[in-house]
Amino acid sequence: KLQFLYLIAREGVVQCAHIGLHMSIAQKIFTAHAPYLAADAARRESGGAGALAGLRVSIKDLFDVRSTRTGFGSPTWLATQGQHEAQEDAVAVRRLLSAGGVYVGKTQMDEMAWSLVGENAHYGTPPNPAAPGRIPGGSSSGAAAAVAAGLCDVSLGSDTGGSVRLPASHCGLYGMRPTHGRVPLDGACALAPSLDTAGVFAKDRRTLDGAMRVLLASSEGPRDATAVHWVVVKPCFDALDASTKEGMLARLAPILSLPRNGAGDTVEVVGEEALGGPLSDFASTYRGVQDAEVWAAHGEWVTSARPAFGPGVADRMARAATLDPADTAAAIARRDALAAAVSSLCTRRHNTLLLLPATPAPPPAAGAVPHEWRVSALQLTSIASLARCPQAVFPCLATVDGPVGASVMGAPGDDERVLDGVAAVERLLGA
C-alpha cells in the first residue's frame, strides 16, 4: 500500500513538473494580454459539434477575438489601436470556432507582421520546438511554435510574404496560404492589403485539410486520387543551399522521375522563363508593392504615434516612407506581368500543380540570421504572394539543423486542388 501511494505521489510530481514546463513554454509563445488557456476536458466539450469539434485553436495576435485586445506584435499598437477589447471575432476566427474549435489564446508574432524571421525586439523570440536554438520563422512565429509544442491542434496565422509558409517549414509542420481574397480579413490588422491572407498550421495533413476547408468555407470535400501534372521550377531548387538541395531532390525523387507524358501522374521541369523572370525580380517587385501598401495603411499612425520599432522593422518603415511614386507604379505593373506568367504556368495542362521548396535551408540560429537567407527566402515566397496563388507546405526533409519543407502551389482559386495535391504527394512519396 505504501509502495502504491509512493508511485501515485511520484507520478503527481512528474505530472506537475510537466505542466510547469508546458506553461513556461506557453508564456514565450502566447501574449500576456491573451494568455494560454489549457484546454481541459470540460473546455474541449464546450467546443460543440463541427468539423473541428474539440480541436484546440490558437489565434495570431493580429486577428480580433471577442473580449480580448489585439496587439499586432507592437506595444505601441496595443496601447493606441488595441487599447479596447474587440466586440466580435474576426471572420477567420469565427469560422474556426463555429466549426467546434476551442480557443486557447493569442500567439506572439513579429512586429506588425513585417518580418520572416520570428524575432520580436519587444517580446522576444518564440522557441522552435523542432529545432531548439533556431528561429521559428515569422511573422506567424508563435502560431507555428504553439502547434509544434503541442499547445494546440490548429493555429490561425497570416501570410503576406511567407508568414505561414516559412514557419511551417522551419517548425516541421503543415501550413497553407490560400488564394488572396478567398478568406475575408474583416477584423484583422492589415500589413499590405493586396498581399495579405489568412492561413493555418497543423501537425498532420488531415487536420490541415479539415481546418483549411473550414477557413475557406469550402463545399468541396477531399477528392479521390486523380492524375496530376507536376511542374518543377528549377531555379527555385537552385536557390537552396547545396546540402538541402541534394537531400530534397533525393526525397522527391519518386515525383521527379515520373514520365513527362502519359495517362497518370506526369512531371515537367521548367526554367525562369516560364515564371516570367528571375527570382530576384519577384523579390524586388514584392518589396516595391509591399512598401507602398504598408505606408498607405500605417503611415499616418507611424507619424503620429512615433512607435519605437525594432531594428529590421524600423529600417523597412523608413524605406517605405520615402518611396518614389514612379517606382511604385513600375512595381505594380511588373507584378501584373509576373502574376500573369505564373498563372499561365499553373494552368499549363489539366490539373497542373507546382512543386517547390518552401525555404532555402534549415532554420538559421536565433540572433544570427544571415542576410543571404533573407534574400533567398523572399525570392521563394514572393512567387505565390505576387501571383495571389494558394500554396501549401508539407514536411519534406529532416536535417541536423532542423526541418525543411517543400510545397504544392496552384492557380488562384485552386485551393482545394492544392489540398488534394498534398495528399497526392504523400501517396507518391509513400509518406
Side-chain angles (χ1 to χ4, degrees):
K1 183 176 180 181
L2 287 174
Q3 187 178 26
F4 179 67
L5 291 173
Y6 166 75
L7 289 174
I8 292 176
R10 186 180 68 174
E11 183 65 26
V13 170
V14 171
Q15 186 174 8
C16 286
H18 177 71
I19 292 172
L21 179 62
H22 218 49
M23 295 306 294
S24 175
I25 294 173
Q27 288 173 359
K28 299 176 182 178
I29 293 174
F30 287 80
T31 67
H33 56 274
Y36 177 63
L37 305 169
D40 57 22
R43 290 196 69 258
R44 279 175 169 270
E45 291 175 4
S46 73
L52 305 182
L55 294 184
R56 299 163 298 164
V57 178
S58 68
I59 307 297
K60 184 177 181 177
D61 192 29
L62 61 69
F63 294 96
D64 284 347
V65 174
R66 185 171 56 86
S67 300
T68 69
R69 300 163 67 197
T70 300
F72 204 18
S74 163
T76 306
W77 185 278
L78 183 64
T80 56
Q81 305 297 97
Q83 57 184 309
H84 300 297
E85 294 179 349
Q87 297 301 303
E88 59 183 6
D89 293 334
V91 171
V93 173
R94 185 163 64 247
R95 287 183 177 181
L96 295 176
L97 301 187
S98 295
V102 178
Y103 168 72
V104 296
K106 299 184 81 169
T107 53
Q108 299 283 12
M109 56 178 285
D110 290 57
E111 191 173 12
M112 297 189 72
W114 206 357
S115 174
L116 296 176
V117 174
E119 298 173 340
N120 187 307
H122 309 286
Y123 300 121
T125 304
N128 183 343
R134 295 182 174 272
I135 64 168
S139 64
S140 305
S141 50
V147 175
L151 297 172
C152 63
D153 305 297
V154 174
S155 203
L156 177 65
S158 68
D159 188 306
T160 302
S163 292
V164 166
R165 291 164 289 161
L166 265 167
S169 177
H170 284 339
C171 293
L173 303 173
Y174 292 79
M176 184 171 173
R177 168 201 172 89
T179 296
H180 181 266
R182 272 293 303 262
V183 179
L185 292 177
D186 305 70
C189 299
L191 177 62
S194 80
L195 300 163
D196 294 345
T197 63
V200 298
F201 299 89
K203 269 193 175 179
D204 64 87
R205 181 190 61 79
R206 292 184 184 279
T207 303
L208 176 80
D209 190 286
M212 276 306 306
R213 291 180 194 272
V214 166
L215 198 60
L216 294 163
S218 177
S219 59
E220 294 183 32
R223 295 181 296 179
D224 294 334
T226 56
V228 175
H229 180 62
W230 298 101
V231 172
V232 176
V233 182
K234 185 177 181 296
C236 291
F237 286 87
D238 291 341
L240 304 179
D241 71 35
S243 60
T244 301
K245 178 180 179 181
E246 181 182 5
M248 187 170 288
L249 292 178
R251 181 73 182 97
L252 298 177
I255 298 176
L256 302 177
S257 61
L258 289 168
R260 181 178 172 84
N261 297 291
D265 287 285
T266 53
V267 69
E268 177 184 7
V269 179
V270 300
E272 68 178 32
E273 68 285 348
L275 279 178
L279 296 184
S280 58
D281 206 359
F282 279 85
S284 61
T285 300
Y286 173 87
R287 282 192 298 269
V289 173
Q290 184 187 45
D291 286 0
E293 294 193 5
V294 170
W295 190 252
H298 301 298
E300 184 176 339
W301 173 75
V302 170
T303 302
S304 61
R306 302 178 66 82
F309 290 124
V313 177
D315 295 341
R316 287 185 282 279
M317 196 64 77
R319 183 182 69 204
T322 58
L323 289 176
D324 184 331
D327 292 338
T328 299
I332 293 172
R334 183 62 180 140
R335 177 203 186 156
D336 292 341
L338 291 171
V342 173
S343 181
S344 177
L345 181 61
C346 290
T347 54
R348 206 170 179 90
R349 294 190 194 177
H350 175 68
N351 208 23
T352 291
L353 291 172
L354 274 58
L355 185 65
L356 307 167
T359 49
V369 179
H371 176 70
E372 294 76 17
W373 175 89
R374 299 172 189 266
V375 172
S376 296
L378 186 58
Q379 288 179 352
L380 292 175
T381 60
S382 57
I383 299 171
S385 295
L386 288 178
R388 303 175 177 87
C389 293
Q391 185 175 15
V393 172
F394 59 90
C396 181
L397 188 64
T399 79
V400 294
D401 293 327
V404 184
S407 68
V408 175
M409 191 173 96
D414 277 353
D415 301 70
E416 291 85 357
R417 181 175 292 177
V418 167
L419 289 168
D420 293 334
V422 178
V425 167
E426 291 195 345
R427 169 176 54 84
L428 290 166
L429 300 183

